[in-house]
Amino acid sequence: MSRVLIVEDEERIASFVQKGLTASGFTTTVVGTGAEAVDYAVTGGFDLMLLDLGLPDTDGFDVLRRVRALGVDVPVVILTARDGVRDTVTGLEIGADDYVTKPFRFEELLARVRLRMRTERAPDLTVLHAGGLRLDLRTRRVEVGEDSVDLTAREFALLELLMRHPGQVMTRQQMLSHVWGFDYDPGSNVVDVFVRALRRKVGAERILTVRGMGYRLTG
């Protein structure tokens, strides 16, 4: 199982990212300072680092420079509210592999994490099977029996979440957080709208409503 080091001092964002990655099959560790980030990174126990630039004890760029100077070649994806071209260029020049600007949707972050890990090594799992469905994470192809179906990016992310947890109830809040990001509106009915769309494409009998809780994919 792939291991991700999350370096983020803002608890809400760290929790959002950690829950999403864990639900997507990753093992995660969260730290909130640059010093901790370096200590953990040099152990060599991680497959990717998500690095916030605005840390309380130091700048994320300094963390990146230090781990690269220590010979740590783990892929690094920078997370930041800074959107200037200069910051982007600086991060890439000193050793970052990718850059995600806040606010972001989890599906975007997940795609970048998987891309950087595939660059370094073969992915642990590229095809999911559940409920008579086949979902290919590389080609973004979904098959229902012998038939292929076309899904939007968010429909794909929603179905992936359900297929990673077949038979398990996924709450609307979990779905909102995973697909729509940490700035989602908890009062929105967008999940129900997208579940209805998914049911039309993959079969209503495959996604069951659990009243007062959420939805689950039949095993």
Side-chain angles (χ1 to χ4, degrees), residues 82-168:
R82 308 175 194 175
D83 58 2
V85 174
R86 181 182 298 275
D87 284 324
T88 303
V89 171
T90 297
L92 297 175
E93 285 182 342
I94 65 175
D97 296 271
D98 210 338
Y99 212 97
V100 178
T101 303
K102 301 174 185 177
F104 53 83
R105 294 196 303 269
F106 181 76
E107 61 180 356
E108 175 191 2
L109 177 64
L110 182 60
R112 292 176 183 270
V113 167
R114 285 180 173 151
L115 174 63
R116 295 307 160 192
M117 285 190 172
R118 283 201 301 270
T119 301
E120 298 297 317
R121 68 196 72 216
D124 293 336
L125 182 66
T126 59
V127 179
L128 302 179
H129 296 270
L133 305 173
R134 181 181 185 276
L135 185 149
D136 192 315
L137 299 172
R138 294 182 300 103
T139 64
R140 313 292 285 181
R141 182 184 178 92
V142 178
E143 295 178 356
V144 183
E146 299 297 321
D147 301 321
S148 295
V149 296
D150 294 323
L151 301 182
T152 67
R154 284 181 175 170
E155 287 170 350
F156 188 95
L158 197 57
L159 182 60
E160 179 187 347
L161 179 65
L162 290 168
M163 289 183 67
R164 286 189 179 277
H165 304 275
Q168 178 179 333

Side-chain angles (χ1 to χ4, degrees), residues 53-98:
L53 293 185
L55 299 171
D57 60 334
T58 187
D59 190 271
F61 287 149
D62 292 332
V63 174
L64 182 55
R65 290 188 183 96
R66 186 171 178 194
V67 297
R68 292 303 189 228
L70 291 170
V72 179
D73 61 356
V74 62
V76 174
V77 177
I78 288 177
L79 304 178
T80 182
R82 308 175 194 175
D83 58 2
V85 174
R86 181 182 298 275
D87 284 324
T88 303
V89 171
T90 297
L92 297 175
E93 285 182 342
I94 65 175
D97 296 271
D98 210 338

Side-chain angles (χ1 to χ4, degrees), residues 29-41:
T29 297
V30 177
V31 298
T33 67
E36 290 176 301
V38 174
D39 287 343
Y40 275 86

